[in-house]
Amino acid sequence: MKTTATASRQRTSVRSSRSQRTQGQAYGGNGHEKEHNGHPSVSPGLAAWLAKPKHNLIAGKWVSAANGKTFDVLNPADGSVIAHVPDSQSEDINRAVTAARKAFESGPWRQLTPSERGKIIWRIGDLILKNAEELAELESVDNGKPRAVAKVADVPLAADLFHYMAGWATKIEGNTIPISVPYAPGARFHAFTTREPVGVVGQIIPWNFPLLMVAWKLGPALATGNCVVLKPAEQTPLSALRFGELLLEAGVPEGVVNIVTGFGETAGAALAAHDGVDKIAFTGSTEVGKIIVRAAAGNLKKVSLELGGKSPNILFKDVPDLNAAIDGAASAIFFNHGQCCCAGSRLLVEKDIFDDVVSGVAERAKKIKLGPGLDAGTEMGPLVSEEQLNRVTRYMNQGKQDGACFVTGGSRQGDQGYFVQPTVITDTDPSMSIVREEIFGPVVVAQPFTKPEEMLPAANNSEYGLAAAVWTKDIAKAHRIAAELRAGTVWINCYNIFDAALPFGGYKQSGWGREMGHEVLNQYTQTKAVVIGL
Ligand code: NAP
Ligand code: MG
């Protein structure tokens, strides 16, 4: 490393405990490909990449933080240090914003034709696929998720997003508008609109899908011709940095995308408040979303937010196939270890099949094989951090104190890494925090209902409104319920179906605006009306 200073972490007890837990050194590429704690370690290629010093990407160059400090990145499967990344502060954000502004105003980016821009974005998608193995492995050691899952979900979805957005670069169109102008009788005008990039965009992303969130954010920003400063999550900065290398390889001009690692309270806050930033796009907790909105007020930058959820998953007794619905309910909450903003964390089940569904989901929960993400047999990895482990176990302990029934799970698994047992809870009431608040772990609360009239208010009884699902054979009922659910996505007889073409985002406190689809392009462009007197 150029700099060895480690970030001082006096701000939170979590961070100080994190530095105390630090065991061993970052991967040195010298023997780390051997088994580690009886589990397969990273491949030699990734070990070599991890061993290289990590820097911010600013103006097309890899640079240390201005203060020279770094912080540790941990493998959540065992708490070992796998890399050190810049602990960036407001000075680094300043430099990145300046680079983005310069690239936006006077760099070659603006001069590219839409077709040339589209081709670069397409190449980014190709490069993701070309490096799929390495990216999946990196995502696994950084976030904890099984490598096999990252390989079939996160990585191809990220590539597909860029391929989808590449096509939009040539289709950002305005309108020709016939105007009447009643106070200018007889005068004639030619009026039209254009859609222009917003300018410099700050993007702050979370740790649950580190690479995919980079794609969701950068794809539309680049398709519409913006320049970006991106801050990845402190827990999972590595795939964004590797991705920066791929951006340069794809031919993205210098300064168009700047990647700055650091903590939310310092680097993130500086970006959200920066007067040189025209728009901030944030994904994360509702709590921090509100901080972002307040920080954006200084220069009234545009804001888009993709926040939390407590999504209802509703099973009627006339499900098309009970086994498939139980599989769906289990995967709705256990996919990505429950660390999904749209996780089906509230299971609402018609009374007649309640016992079967609860025992079915619990049986599936018990069979899930927990282990390090790099183990071939692992179905569920650790939570991302000790902070999340503590948060999830705190919720479960509160649920126990409140008198809920834990059908299965309810505790941490083992004492190494941040593993939590897949958990199914019944006998709750709507006032309990486990029913109301986003736990962001593999923990589902199941509640029975008898009539749709009583189920719907319960389903909508949340400050969140990100997603919901309905399982029934009755297509008319499915449509009626879908129309009544206050959620940005409703799945019918399926769950967790995403596509680059499908808009995703929240009602209520789950967010502002939409990710993906053509709707997201509106958030990265502004409309200019041009009127020509004839
Ligand atoms: P978070 O604090 O909302 O983090 C999201 C991003 O915001 C991270 O990059 C974070 O930086 C940054 N950030 C934090 N404070 C900031 C500030 N004051 N100004 C600007 N940026 C800031 O989420 P978390 O603490 O990682 O997780 C807490 C809970 O949030 C989870 O348990 C879950 O309920 C929810 N969550 C939701 C999503 C989602 O997809 N909607 C994703 C992750 C978490 P740091 O990395 O340094 O914190
Ligand atoms: Mg946080």
Side-chain angles (χ1 to χ4, degrees):
M1 305 289 303
K2 238 185 217 144
T3 61
T4 50
T6 298
S8 71
R9 300 199 183 84
Q10 68 276 34
R11 291 219 66 238
T12 68
S13 56
V14 172
R15 285 185 193 137
S16 46
S17 74
R18 206 172 128 176
S19 61
Q20 285 155 16
R21 276 185 300 100
T22 296
Q23 314 148 356
Q25 297 299 309
Y27 284 106
N30 48 0
H32 282 285
E33 53 278 8
K34 284 196 223 118
E35 297 255 315
H36 179 62
N37 298 329
H39 295 293
S41 197
V42 297
S43 62
L46 183 59
W49 185 83
L50 287 169
K52 284 195 279 182
K54 300 286 167 285
H55 294 127
N56 291 327
L57 177 62
I58 298 180
K61 308 278 179 310
W62 294 99
V63 293
S64 306
N67 64 8
K69 289 187 178 170
T70 62
F71 64 91
D72 301 338
V73 182
L74 309 185
N75 177 346
D78 57 15
S80 61
V81 178
I82 53 173
H84 315 278
V85 296
D87 178 12
S88 309
Q89 309 288 320
S90 57
E91 177 51 27
D92 305 291
I93 293 292
N94 273 335
R95 292 176 186 183
V97 171
T98 303
R101 175 63 59 195
K102 188 166 167 223
F104 183 69
E105 305 212 326
S106 51
W109 188 231
R110 286 291 278 278
Q111 311 308 322
L112 292 181
T113 64
S115 168
E116 288 165 335
R117 200 166 72 231
K119 282 181 191 144
I120 291 176
I121 298 169
W122 184 272
R123 272 206 294 279
I124 299 171
D126 284 352
L127 283 169
I128 293 175
L129 293 179
K130 190 174 155 203
N131 292 280
E133 288 287 349
E134 182 199 345
L135 289 168
E137 189 180 14
L138 178 56
E139 208 67 333
S140 178
V141 291
D142 202 11
N143 163 280
K145 64 180 68 193
R147 169 173 40 190
V149 173
K151 177 90 191 293
V152 297
D154 305 53
V155 174
L157 278 170
D160 198 48
L161 193 287
F162 283 101
H163 286 149
Y164 170 83
M165 286 297 167
W168 276 114
T170 48
K171 298 162 195 72
I172 311 295
E173 299 170 344
N175 295 310
T176 309
I177 302 176
I179 57 173
S180 307
V181 199
Y183 56 84
R188 294 175 60 206
F189 302 94
H190 173 59
F192 62 94
T193 58
T194 57
R195 286 166 66 201
E196 299 185 345
V198 173
V200 173
V201 179
Q203 303 187 318
I204 300 175
I205 55 171
W207 42 259
N208 50 346
F209 294 91
L211 178 72
L212 189 57
M213 291 301 104
V214 170
W216 281 22
K217 290 283 181 274
L218 284 185
L222 296 179
T224 47
N226 293 279
C227 293
V228 176
V229 177
L230 174 93
K231 190 204 87 67
E234 65 181 81
Q235 299 86 351
T236 56
L238 297 177
S239 54
L241 294 180
R242 178 69 186 101
F243 192 73
E245 298 175 354
L246 300 183
L247 291 174
L248 297 180
E249 193 179 335
V252 174
E254 65 182 44
V256 171
V257 177
N258 304 275
I259 301 173
V260 180
T261 59
F263 296 118
E265 300 88 337
T266 48
L271 186 58
H274 204 290
D275 282 347
V277 172
D278 301 304
K279 170 193 164 64
I280 193 100
F282 171 79
T283 297
S285 60
T286 292
E287 184 192 355
V288 174
K290 291 177 185 179
I291 296 173
I292 299 285
V293 169
R294 285 193 284 273
N299 70 339
L300 285 177
K301 57 176 68 66
K302 319 275 183 271
V303 179
S304 55
L305 305 169
E306 202 260 279
L307 307 175
K310 191 76 180 175
S311 298
N313 189 14
I314 303 157
L315 273 63
F316 284 99
K317 66 181 177 199
D318 61 353
V319 291
D321 173 334
L322 186 59
N323 258 322
I326 292 172
D327 284 343
S331 130
I333 183 63
F334 299 135
F335 175 65
N336 211 41
H337 328 164
Q339 301 169 129
C340 293
C341 46
C342 56
S345 51
R346 288 188 297 141
L347 191 54
L348 301 171
V349 187
E350 197 161 2
K351 205 155 169 269
D352 313 54
I353 58 165
F354 183 77
D355 290 345
D356 289 343
V357 170
V358 168
S359 60
V361 174
E363 279 316 304
R364 283 156 180 75
K366 285 182 210 157
K367 286 193 187 130
I368 293 173
K369 192 167 176 301
L370 268 67
L374 292 187
D375 277 7
T378 291
E379 292 167 335
M380 185 185 283
L383 299 188
V384 73
S385 64
E386 185 175 13
E387 182 177 10
Q388 281 304 117
L389 172 68
N390 292 339
R391 181 186 163 98
V392 172
T393 47
R394 200 167 56 237
Y395 271 115
M396 294 197 293
N397 291 339
Q398 184 62 50
K400 288 174 194 166
Q401 270 179 36
D402 292 344
C405 168
F406 282 64
V407 180
T408 188
S411 308
R412 179 181 187 180
Q413 171 100 357
D415 56 8
Q416 198 200 24
Y418 316 131
F419 296 91
V420 164
Q421 298 166 342
T423 299
V424 180
I425 306 175
T426 58
D427 295 348
T428 59
D429 74 57
S431 67
M432 294 181 187
S433 59
I434 50 171
V435 177
R436 305 198 69 78
E437 295 174 26
E438 183 174 50
I439 299 175
F440 229 63
V443 181
V444 65
V445 292
Q447 305 156 254
F449 69 88
T450 44
K451 297 193 187 98
E453 306 85 84
E454 96 193 28
M455 176 278 295
L456 261 170
N460 283 330
N461 182 16
S462 172
E463 66 190 31
Y464 297 113
L466 193 56
V470 185
W471 299 75
T472 175
K473 269 203 272 262
D474 180 341
I475 197 72
K477 179 164 68 182
H479 276 291
R480 277 198 310 276
I481 305 280
E484 295 292 330
L485 286 166
R486 306 269 300 141
T489 295
V490 178
W491 288 296
I492 294 172
N493 297 331
C494 59
Y495 208 98
N496 275 341
I497 300 302
F498 293 95
D499 192 89
L502 200 61
F504 180 77
Y507 280 35
K508 298 194 267 185
Q509 293 192 38
S510 288
W512 289 353
R514 293 292 176 270
E515 307 277 349
M516 302 193 287
H518 57 78
E519 288 207 28
V520 70
L521 304 170
N522 294 332
Q523 284 151 218
Y524 285 92
T525 53
Q526 43 199 352
T527 301
K528 179 177 281 174
V530 181
V531 181
I532 305 169
L534 299 176

